[in-house]
């Protein structure tokens, strides 16, 4: 087995590795381990690994001072004098014999300490980047050290965080997580990656698909996406995700409403059933190549698709190895229902030769019976008919039976016959299934016809050749069947032959290991070409199961490897040209010589193989000798020393040994003429269609066909397709072989990367400039090497140049935005940086040690002083004790003398006090007696004076009351005379008429309601009875059918038992009859149970029917009672109608008298006129005309200044009404302003409509005209002042209508019913006189017009009024939405600038530049201040227009919610390009400095909320809770010390677990270099995410914006203050008009 020729560039020079450096060393188990250099001995480097475990060992011996150092490579036993090396070859796994050689055995119990350490050559040690991001980098070309361990560590770090996608340039590496991550593939994620540039967002399979789609749209060129990887790496799922995203972009539906992507996916179960099988590495491995073409039209819409397949593994039909399986369809058919198996005469898989070669028959967790049914359903979906399905499975069953045909030697030499009766049975079954003659089938298997010019010769085959003929027939039939299925699927999907461009998705299959000839074909060699769509060819190794196919596979591998490396080199060259740097030619592996060796014509291996196959006498030995002679001098061809048929080829990945046995037989690819004739003559049209008759000329010719030539044609076709497209690569990697999540096997991963071409692509990158850093990143890391550069205001590029020149580096280049470093230069700069930091650390240590010494000295001095103080204190205490004793003696003497003097004084004092007390008591009693007498005298005088004054007041009050009563009586008599006069004229008649009209209307309405109720009751009863009868009838029919089935089954069972023979023989027929009897018995039992259930159901139905009958009787009784009441109502109605006719005639007489009568010489204020009001039908046509008084116009008070008005012809009331409406509409179309905070326009509209009684009429146009006026006024969506003005007016008017209108019962039942009698002429007149007796001419309002809203009665609104209210509500919501959306439009561009803090110049970071810092801070906060300015402008506009505070609060609450969503996860449209600004998808947005920037902006918003007061802002500040908590997480310190409970319950309780996980992993500190939360917290969060995904919890971490209307009319009416419309002055236009006099009263 050869070694890999992967000449990786060592990115760190050996000179740069010093003691203490962090490095990577090789490890047999973990591939690479990190550690720290402890000692360098020449070319050997001693590294202490971090993953090693220290321990101790108890061994005999007296050498306690010995230290044993163990490593994975060798043991090193070191003493005090010199070390001794023990190599790995001397180490025994079971004992410590090697150690015992170096240890004495005379002192037992010695403890030997074990320290794990690795010794490696300095050329095999790679530097480690200690400052790498904790979450890894998304593009491995950004790594500081681009070498193999760095790549592996970056992938492992990202995989631990569930970041399964990583870029390597433009190559996407996808690691299979072996678990579902739904949040990565939902619609939100598709929206984020739509149109995003590659690298702008996190790596994703959607990004590759989007790049391919955009390139196709922009350049008009076809693209291809090559998905490759080891078996089980997730290639099929990746392909499905690609097709989902392309269908999302294309957005075209396919046949029957299914998209093309869905149709392709629906074909997968069929292709997997006939083309997939279990292999060593995968339970569902594809054994064919698949290239899916998705076709697009000119507009980028999907117009069709096609599936191309390459070389099915035909040999698997006949040969499988343990523990593999044959194709799934064979096992599915064996697990089909019993009737299917009986029809095809199938048994268990163990009974068939093609299946029992392996002991594996079932797959864990998969039911073949269920998969069979799913496959049949999938075949129905893709358009395969039932007849075609039956024919397909007949052929599959025929292949199984064909494999059980065995042959033995015949009577003649080299002849064969069918072996036994079992083989004969399978032969006849095969012929029956294929519908051909059994004899013809037998002859086709054991005979061959040779046509010579003289005669036709028929010869027989020996048993071995007959078995080969049998297997050839099986492989040919299965291959033709598979090709037919693929063609049928393509027809079902539908192809667009005229498509302008395609995007091809190449699903490359995994590889497998072989039991034979496998040692020469290592897995890692296969992997090498697999990455470059070479797996198509690699796959051919297990597919063909022939050794000659290995050569063809390697040929394809070399072609596609060369194609891949050319593409990688082209991408590298484009990067250099983009940065405008000088670059030289970079060499990459060119294996053209291998291609010439394999495929060159003439003289290639394949050409020689085809030539040998044409000669009948050629053998594998002659073929091998021909190869030895032809390629003796070829350096790529190697002849083994001890073999006559083997040879080796040195490929790109290493040397591979081939065994030429059976090369000639396996290379032949033609259908045997006998087989062709047999199946062409089949009576089965489907089988005959698989083998159409060959053309006459081709049948006569002997044109040779081989698998090699056919494979080469397919390879050329594939390469032509790939060369005509722009390729994109996705490398799928399997992290472990146990197929479980969260397991990362380093050795397995690095093997796949080595063999997948990824590291070769890295080598190409390392050959140029492997390390690339942006100028600001380079200065941030290496600015300490030249501090003077940061002190001045020097451009970044010049500063980088100065640092590199100071370090005396050569070979680097500076591009437009990046620094390009050669291999090793990054490590050298890190070494210099480590030295600078080390010197700084030494300085700090020196200062710290000085501080510690000084501190110890001060402590010692303080202790001495304290000791001295204690001694002096003891001396002072003794002296003080002596003084205290002397003072105590003096004090005792003083106190005794004081005591005796005080006793004498106390006795004298008590005697004086007793005398003084007696004298003072006598004086006080005399004074008290005098005051008591004086108080009694004053009280008597007060009562006497009060009684006198009260008597005088009572007499005056009585006189005043008598006077007032007399005057009021006189006034009342005058008022009574006036009222009696008015009452005698119209009062009595009016009141009687009004009462009768109301009573008639009420009785009429009640009559209609009772009729409608009776009708509905009868209909409901009839429907229930009908339903119950139908249910009972259906139950009886089911019971009868069940009884008939039971009787029929019993008779059939009895007849079967009678027909059964008396003696039961062990034959299959009897077993089948017994099984049939058992089945019939079970069915009879089930029918009995069903019958019992039906009887129970029938009984329940009878009970329900009885209950319905009882309810029916009750309903009938109620109906009779209602009918009696209706008759009574009808009688009453007739009597009332007679009275009404009499009153109408009397009313007519009184009306004429009222019009002509003028007792005072004055006319009535207004004379009612009649107008012809046309009543429309429901369809809008004029039905009839009726004479009806029109009192929608207000009654105008006659002016005494115009006595001639009665003489002039008056206008009709309709015309006057129209003029008033025109004037009102003209007035409200102007800006009338506000009166005392109340909108004038709304008050005018309300008062006018209320006065005209427009709410009570069933037809009017005033509402439509008002609505049209409002609509025309708001046709200025950008004029916020006008919108705010009408928002106030509409809300106020709507509030007034809400309190005034009420829906009438009759209006709700019949909206177009005739108006009630209360709206008639007499009714309105009487109501006007009754309501306003002192001001005739006013119909509804009293003397003080409208007061507060409680003083106005509610009006029963008709249909037009209710419709007007709904239209007004819609306009209110529309104006509200326009103002809100205008504010959103103005602040949206500013929000995009507020999510990420702009980079400031480095001059602002230098100490002492306070002025520059102030300017930078002002620039950072300018965008937030612009948002606050917009908010203030809108608040001022709405305050100026008196917009209700509830609407202002709702607007700002939704605006703050919009800001929260935009800052958290939305896009900002700027310059017609979409830039992602959401917090959770950009790593640069999750930085510490960016958090401080957003926090300062949020402080501006909080201050604005405080200034605006809660009346106008409300809870708007709470809407920013998501972004506030996210920013709070970014700026808190000591994140690693925070627990999960603190994060979820205290810091970020609102954020979901997905959001918290995302921001925790994306966080980076660009200011202080601190880390995010601990790895344990991230692991706990990941576990919670997994549980949420399993529980079908929404895993999306994005927020949704709510643009609904957040209020209702009831909310406005409850929260808005009541409006007093009485004191609103009308404008001059209305004040001067006589029709609007009511507005002034």
């Amino acid at each position: 087995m050869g070694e890999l020729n992967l000449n990786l560039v060592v990115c760190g020079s050996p000179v740069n590795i010093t003691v203490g450096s962090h490095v990577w060393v090789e490890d047999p188990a973990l591939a690479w381990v990190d550690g720290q250099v402890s000692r360098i001995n020449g070319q050997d480097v001693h590294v202490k690994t971090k993953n090693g475990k220290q321990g101790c060992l108890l061994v005999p011996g007296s050498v306690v001072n010995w230290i044993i150092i163990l490593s994975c490579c060798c043991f090193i036993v070191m003493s005090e004098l010199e070390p001794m090396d023990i190599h790995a070859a001397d180490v025994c796994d079971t004992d410590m014999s090697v150690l015992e050689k170096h240890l004495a055995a005379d002192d037992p119990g010695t403890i030997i300490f074990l320290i794990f350490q690795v010794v490696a050559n300095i050329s095999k040690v790679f530097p480690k980047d200690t400052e790498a991001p904790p979450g890894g980098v998304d593009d491995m070309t950004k790594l500081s050290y681009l070498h193999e361990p760095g790549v592996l560590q970056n992938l492992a770090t990202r995989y631990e965080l569930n970041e399964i996608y990583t870029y390597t340039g433009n190559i996407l590496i996808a690691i299979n997580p072996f678990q579902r991550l739904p949040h990565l593939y939902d619609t939100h994620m598709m929206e984020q990656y739509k149109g995003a540039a590659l690298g702008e967002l996190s790596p994703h399979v959607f990004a590759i698909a989007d790049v391919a789609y955009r390139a196709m749209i922009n350049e008009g060129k076809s693209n291809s996406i090559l998905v490759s990887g080891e078996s089980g790496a997730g290639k099929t799922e990746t392909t499905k995700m690609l097709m989902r995203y392309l269908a999302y972009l294309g957005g075209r539906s396919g046949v029957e409403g299914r998209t093309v992507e869905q149709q392709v996916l629906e074909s997968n179960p069929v292709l997997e059933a006939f083309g997939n099988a279990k292999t060593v590495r995968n339970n569902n491995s594809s054994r064919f190549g698949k290239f899916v073409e998705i076709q697009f039209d000119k507009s980028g819409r999907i117009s069709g698709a096609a599936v191309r397949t390459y070389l099915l593994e035909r040999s698997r039909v006949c040969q499988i190895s343990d523990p593999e399986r044959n194709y799934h369809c064979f096992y599915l058919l064996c697990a089909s229902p019993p009737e299917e198996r009986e029809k095809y005469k199938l048994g268990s898989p163990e009974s068939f030769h093609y299946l029992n070669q392996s002991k594996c028959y079932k797959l864990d967790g998969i039911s073949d019976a269920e998969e069979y049914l799913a496959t049949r359903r999938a075949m129905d979906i893709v358009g395969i008919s039932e007849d075609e399905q039956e024919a397909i499975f007949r052929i599959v069953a025929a292949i199984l039976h064909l494999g059980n045909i065995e042959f033995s030697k015949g009577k003649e030499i080299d002849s064969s016959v069918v072996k036994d009766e079992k083989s004969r049975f399978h032969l006849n079954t095969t012929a029956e299934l294929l519908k051909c003659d059994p004899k013809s089938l037998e002859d086709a298997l054991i005979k061959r016809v040779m046509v010579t010019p003289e005669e036709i010769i028929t010869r027989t085959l020996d048993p071995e050749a007959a078995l080969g003929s049998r297997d050839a027939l099986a492989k040919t039939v299965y291959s033709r069947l598979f090709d037919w299925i693929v063609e049928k699927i393509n027809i079902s999907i539908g192809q667009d032959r005229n498509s302008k461009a395609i995007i091809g998705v190449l699903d490359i299959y995994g590889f497998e290991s072989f039991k034979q000839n496998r040692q020469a074909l290592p897995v890692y060699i296969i992997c090498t070409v697999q990455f470059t769509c070479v797996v198509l060819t690699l796959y051919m190794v297990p597919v063909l199961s022939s050794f000659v196919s290995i050569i063809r596979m390697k040929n394809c591998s070399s072609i596609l490897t060369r194609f891949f490396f050319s593409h990688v080199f082209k991408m590298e060259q484009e990067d250099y040209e983009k940065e405008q740097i000088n670059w030289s030619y970079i060499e990459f592996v060119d294996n053209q010589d291998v291609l010439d060796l394999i495929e060159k014509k003439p003289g290639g291996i394949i050409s020689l193989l085809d030539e040998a196959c044409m000669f009948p006498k050629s053998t594998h030995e002659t073929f091998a000798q021909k190869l030895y002679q032809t390629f003796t001098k070829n350096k790529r061809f190697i002849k083994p020393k001890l073999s006559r048929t083997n040879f080796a080829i040195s490929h790109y990945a290493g040397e591979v040994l081939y065994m030429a046995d059976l090369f000639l037989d396996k290379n032949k690819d033609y259908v045997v003429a006998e087989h062709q004739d047999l199946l062409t003559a089949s009576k089965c049209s489907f089988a005959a269609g698989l083998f159409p008759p060959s053309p006459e000329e081709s049948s006569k010719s002997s044109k040779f066909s081989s698998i090699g030539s056919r494979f080469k044609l397919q390879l050329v076709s594939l390469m032509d397709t790939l060369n005509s497209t722009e390729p994109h690569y996705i490398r799928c990697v399997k992290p472990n072989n146990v197929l479980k999540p969260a397991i990362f096997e380093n050795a397995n991963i690095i093997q796949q990367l080595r063999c997948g071409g990824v590291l070769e692509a890295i080598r190409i990158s390392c050959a140029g400039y492997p390390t690339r850093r942006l100028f600001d990143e380079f200065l941030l890391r290496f600015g300490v090497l030249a501090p003077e550069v940061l002190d001045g205001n020097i451009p970044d590029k010049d500063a980088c140049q100065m640092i590199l020149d100071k370090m005396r580096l050569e070979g680097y280049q500076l591009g437009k935005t990046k620094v390009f470093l050669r291999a090793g230069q990054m490590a050298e700069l890190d070494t210099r940086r480590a030295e600078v930091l080390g010197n700084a650390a030494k300085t700090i240590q020196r200062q710290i040690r000085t501080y510690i010494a000084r501190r110890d000295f001060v402590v010692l001095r303080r202790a001495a002083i304290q000791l001295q103080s204690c001694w002096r204190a003891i001396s002072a205490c003794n002296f003080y004790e002596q003084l205290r004793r002397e003072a105590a003696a003096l004090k005792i003497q003083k106190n005794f003398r004081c005591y005796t003097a005080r006793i004498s004084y106390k006795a004298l004092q008590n005697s004086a006090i007793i005398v003084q007390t007696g004298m003072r008591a006598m004086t006080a009693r005399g004074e008290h007696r005098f005051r008591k007498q004086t108080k009694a005298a004053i009280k008597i005088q007060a009562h006497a004076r009060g009684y006198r004054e009260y008597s005088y007041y009572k007499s005056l009050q009585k006189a005043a009351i008598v006077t007032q009563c007399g005057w009021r009586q006189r006034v009342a008599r005058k008022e009574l005379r006036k009222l009696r006069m008015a009452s005698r004229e119209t009062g009595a008649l009016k009141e009687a008429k009004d009462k009768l009209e109301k009573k008639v209307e009420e009785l009429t309405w009640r009559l209609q309601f009772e009729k409608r109720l009776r009708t509905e009751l009868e209909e409901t009863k009839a429907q229930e009875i009908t339903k119950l009868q139908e249910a009972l009838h259906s139950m009886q029919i089911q019971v009868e059918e069940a009884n008939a089935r039971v009787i029929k089954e019993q008779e059939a069972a009895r007849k079967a038992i009678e027909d059964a023979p008396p003696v039961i023989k062990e034959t299959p027929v009897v077993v089948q009859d017994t099984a049939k009897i058992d089945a019939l018995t079970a069915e009879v039992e089930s029918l009995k149970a069903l019958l019992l259930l039906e009887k129970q159901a029938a009984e329940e139905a009878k009970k329900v029917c009885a209950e319905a009958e009882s309810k029916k009787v009750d309903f009938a009784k109620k109906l009779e009672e209602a009918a009696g009441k209706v008759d009574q109502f009808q009688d009453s109605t007739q009597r009332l109608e007679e009275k009404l006719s009499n009153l109408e005639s009397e009313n007519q007489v009184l009306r004429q008298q009222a019009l002509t009568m003028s007792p005072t010489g004055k006319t009535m204020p207004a004379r009612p006129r009649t107008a012809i009001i046309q009543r429309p039908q429901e369809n809008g046509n004029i039905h009839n005309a009726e004479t009806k008084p029109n009192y929608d116009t207000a009654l105008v008070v006659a002016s005494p200044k115009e006595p001639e008005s009665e003489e002039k012809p008056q206008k009709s009331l309709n015309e006057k009404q129209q003029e008033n409406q025109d004037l009102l509409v003209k007035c409200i179309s102007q800006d009338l302003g506000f009166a005392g905070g109340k909108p004038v326009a709304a008050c005018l509209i309300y008062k006018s409509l209320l006065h005209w009684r427009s709410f009570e009429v069933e037809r009017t146009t005033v509402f439509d005209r008002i609505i049209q006026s409002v609509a025309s006024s708001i046709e200025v969506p950008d004029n916020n002042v006008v919108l705010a003005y009408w928002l106030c007016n509409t809300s106020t008017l709507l509030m007034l209508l809400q309190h005034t209108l009420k829906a009438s019962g009759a209006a709700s039942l019949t909206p177009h019913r005739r108006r009630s009698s209360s709206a008639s002429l007499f009714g309105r007149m009487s109501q006007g006189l009754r309501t306003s007796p002192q001001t005739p001419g006013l119909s509804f309002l009293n003397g003080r017009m409208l007061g507060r809203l409680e003083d106005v009665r509610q009006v029963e609104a008709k249909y037009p009024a209710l419709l007007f209210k709904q239209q007004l509500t819609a306009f209110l919501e529309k104006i509200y939405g326009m103002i809100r959306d205008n504010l959103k439009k103005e602040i949206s561009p500013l929000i995009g600038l507020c999510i990420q803090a702009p980079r400031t110049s480095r001059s602002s970071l230098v100490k002492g530049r306070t002025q520059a810092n102030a300017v930078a801070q002002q620039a950072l906060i300018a965008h937030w201040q612009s948002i606050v300015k917009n908010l203030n402008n809108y608040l001022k506009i709405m305050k100026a227009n008196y917009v209700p505070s509830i609407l202002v609060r709702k607007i700002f609450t939704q605006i703050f919610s919009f800001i929260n969503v935009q800052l958290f996860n939305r896009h900002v449209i700027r310059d017609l390009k979409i830039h992602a600004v959401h917090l959770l998808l950009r790593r640069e947005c999750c930085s510490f400095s960016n958090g401080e920037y957003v926090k300062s902006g949020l402080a501006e918003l909080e201050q604005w909320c405080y200034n605006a007061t809660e009346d106008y802002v409300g809870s708007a500040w709470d809407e920013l809770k998501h972004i506030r908590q996210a920013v709070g997480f970014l700026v808190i310190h000591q994140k690693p010390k925070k627990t999960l409970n603190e994060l979820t319950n205290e810091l970020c309780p609102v954020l979901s677990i997905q959001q918290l996980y995302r921001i925790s992993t994306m966080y980076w500190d660009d200011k202080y270099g601190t880390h995010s939360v601990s790895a344990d917290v991230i692991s706990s969060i990941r576990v919670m995410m997994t549980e949420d995904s399993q529980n079908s919890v929404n895993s999306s971490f994005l927020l949704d914006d709510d643009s609904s209307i957040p209020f209702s009319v009831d909310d406005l009416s409850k929260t808005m203050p009541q409006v007093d419309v009485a004191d609103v002055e009308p404008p001059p236009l209305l004040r001067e008009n006589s029709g609007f006099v009511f507005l002034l009263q």
Side-chain angles (χ1 to χ4, degrees), residues 14 17 24-25 42-46 118-126:
I17 297 178
W24 293 98
V25 293
Q43 294 296 320
D44 294 334
V45 179
H46 297 254
V118 176
V119 179
N121 190 279
I122 195 170
S123 62
K124 297 183 179 180
V125 176
F126 295 91

Side-chain angles (χ1 to χ4, degrees), residues 20 31 61 97 147 237 251 293 425 432 455 487 532 705 896 938 989 1008 1063 1076 1130 1180 1183 1218 1351 1394 1469 1604 1637:
S97 59
H147 46 53
E237 289 298 323
E293 291 183 4
F425 168 75
E432 179 184 352
E455 59 181 347
E487 182 180 0
T532 61
S705 175
F896 180 73
I938 292 172
L989 184 61
Q1008 293 177 356
V1063 180
K1076 184 181 294 184
Q1130 288 178 353
H1183 179 63
Q1218 189 69 25
D1351 300 333
C1394 294
I1469 301 178
S1604 61
V1637 178

Side-chain angles (χ1 to χ4, degrees), residues 634-882:
N634 194 312
K635 63 180 181 179
R636 294 285 189 173
F637 186 87
I638 303 172
K639 178 182 180 302
K641 295 181 180 181
L642 302 177
S643 176
R644 299 181 58 186
T645 59
N646 297 350
F647 63 92
I649 297 178
S650 179
H651 292 280
Y652 153 73
E655 182 179 318
V656 181
L657 180 66
Y658 299 95
M659 302 170 66
D661 300 341
L662 301 179
F663 263 33
L664 302 182
D665 295 336
K666 299 297 181 179
N667 189 47
K668 296 176 182 179
D669 181 38
Y670 57 89
V671 180
V672 179
E674 287 77 5
H675 299 169
Q676 176 76 30
D677 296 339
L678 172 69
L679 294 175
T680 302
S682 173
K683 297 180 181 179
C684 177
S685 59
F686 183 83
L690 297 179
F691 292 86
S694 302
E696 188 68 22
E697 59 275 7
S698 63
S699 62
K700 294 181 180 179
S701 62
S702 58
K703 184 177 180 181
F704 176 75
S705 175
S706 66
I707 293 180
S709 60
R710 185 158 63 94
F711 171 75
K712 187 174 181 180
L713 291 176
Q714 291 188 351
L715 177 61
V716 170
S717 174
L718 176 61
M719 289 306 300
D720 291 342
T721 303
L722 295 180
N723 287 327
S724 63
T725 63
E726 183 68 22
H728 306 273
Y729 297 95
I730 299 178
R731 176 66 168 101
C732 297
V733 178
K734 183 168 68 174
N736 57 77
N737 290 325
V738 295
L739 309 182
K740 293 183 178 180
I743 300 177
F744 192 88
E745 297 177 354
N746 291 350
N748 187 20
I749 297 293
I750 201 63
Q751 196 76 339
Q752 296 179 60
L753 294 178
R754 287 173 179 171
C755 305
V758 178
L759 297 182
E760 178 62 23
I762 294 175
R763 188 202 68 78
I764 294 176
S765 177
C766 290
Y769 299 94
T771 304
R772 305 159 195 185
R773 285 289 182 274
L774 295 173
F775 290 147
D776 54 351
E777 294 179 358
F778 184 82
L779 292 176
L780 183 63
R781 182 165 183 169
F782 298 109
V784 295
L785 298 179
E788 65 278 2
V789 175
L790 300 178
D791 294 338
N793 193 10
I794 304 174
D796 291 350
K797 186 174 182 180
D798 297 340
C800 296
Q801 182 73 41
M802 295 173 65
I803 294 175
L804 294 171
D805 292 343
K806 183 177 180 180
M807 295 296 104
R808 298 179 181 179
L809 296 181
E810 298 179 355
Y812 66 88
Q813 291 201 40
L814 299 179
K816 296 173 65 178
T817 61
K818 298 179 182 178
V819 177
F820 290 81
L821 300 178
R822 288 286 189 181
Q825 291 181 344
M826 188 71 177
E828 185 174 353
L829 288 174
D830 278 339
T831 302
R832 300 286 183 86
R833 178 172 175 270
E835 292 177 359
V836 173
L837 295 179
N839 293 333
K842 292 178 182 178
T843 302
I844 296 173
Q845 290 174 355
R846 181 169 66 250
Q847 296 295 330
I848 291 297
R849 289 169 182 165
T850 302
Y851 167 77
I852 293 174
R854 173 71 179 172
R855 185 188 60 188
D856 294 342
F857 167 73
V858 170
V859 170
L860 182 61
R861 184 177 64 180
R862 188 180 296 114
I865 293 172
Q866 189 173 2
L867 183 62
Q868 294 173 358
S869 299
C870 291
W871 177 254
R872 290 169 183 166
I874 293 173
S875 301
C877 287
N878 294 333
F879 179 69
Y880 170 74
E881 182 68 21
Q882 182 180 358

Side-chain angles (χ1 to χ4, degrees), residues 1237-1310:
K1238 293 172 287 189
V1240 176
C1243 295
L1244 292 178
I1245 295 172
Y1246 174 73
K1247 292 169 69 175
S1248 300
L1249 295 178
L1250 198 60
H1251 178 79
W1252 295 338
R1253 294 196 174 183
S1254 300
F1255 302 126
E1256 302 178 57
V1257 299
E1258 294 181 350
R1259 174 167 294 275
T1260 181
T1261 60
V1262 64
F1263 297 131
D1264 294 337
R1265 301 187 64 184
I1266 294 174
I1267 290 297
Q1268 291 175 3
S1269 178
V1270 176
S1272 62
S1273 299
I1274 64 174
E1275 289 179 352
V1276 283
D1278 297 331
N1279 193 339
N1280 295 315
V1281 177
V1282 175
L1283 295 177
Y1285 169 77
W1286 280 109
L1287 181 62
C1288 178
N1289 278 278
T1290 53
S1291 59
T1292 304
L1293 182 57
L1294 189 61
M1295 186 269 294
L1296 293 171
L1297 296 181
Q1298 181 71 9
H1299 285 281
T1300 303
L1301 302 184
K1302 67 175 181 179
S1304 62
S1308 63
L1309 291 175
T1310 56

Side-chain angles (χ1 to χ4, degrees), residues 1414-1468:
V1415 174
Q1417 186 67 21
Q1418 187 64 25
L1420 291 177
I1421 208 65
H1423 306 305
W1424 292 99
Q1425 292 177 348
S1426 299
I1427 294 178
V1428 172
K1429 182 178 179 181
N1430 288 327
L1431 296 177
N1432 280 329
N1433 292 338
Y1434 274 78
L1435 180 59
K1436 290 178 181 178
I1437 291 173
M1438 288 186 284
K1439 280 185 176 180
N1441 289 275
Y1442 296 97
V1443 177
S1445 59
I1446 180 176
L1447 297 180
V1448 180
R1449 289 195 298 270
K1450 295 297 183 180
I1451 288 176
F1452 287 120
T1453 299
Q1454 286 196 320
I1455 290 300
F1456 274 63
S1457 176
F1458 172 74
I1459 294 174
N1460 180 60
V1461 172
Q1462 289 293 314
L1463 290 179
F1464 204 77
N1465 67 336
R1466 291 299 178 195
H1467 289 73
V1468 171

Side-chain angles (χ1 to χ4, degrees), residues 1534-1549:
Q1534 297 182 349
K1535 292 183 182 64
K1537 295 183 180 180
K1538 301 297 182 182
T1539 63
L1540 180 59
N1541 187 33
E1542 292 177 344
L1543 290 178
T1544 56
N1545 297 332
E1546 298 177 7
L1547 297 177
C1548 306

Side-chain angles (χ1 to χ4, degrees), residues 75 212 257-258 371 381 391 797 923 983 1060 1102 1590:
F75 287 107
R258 300 190 307 273
E371 291 297 323
I381 292 174
K797 186 174 182 180
T923 303
S983 177
K1102 290 180 180 179
Q1590 292 176 355

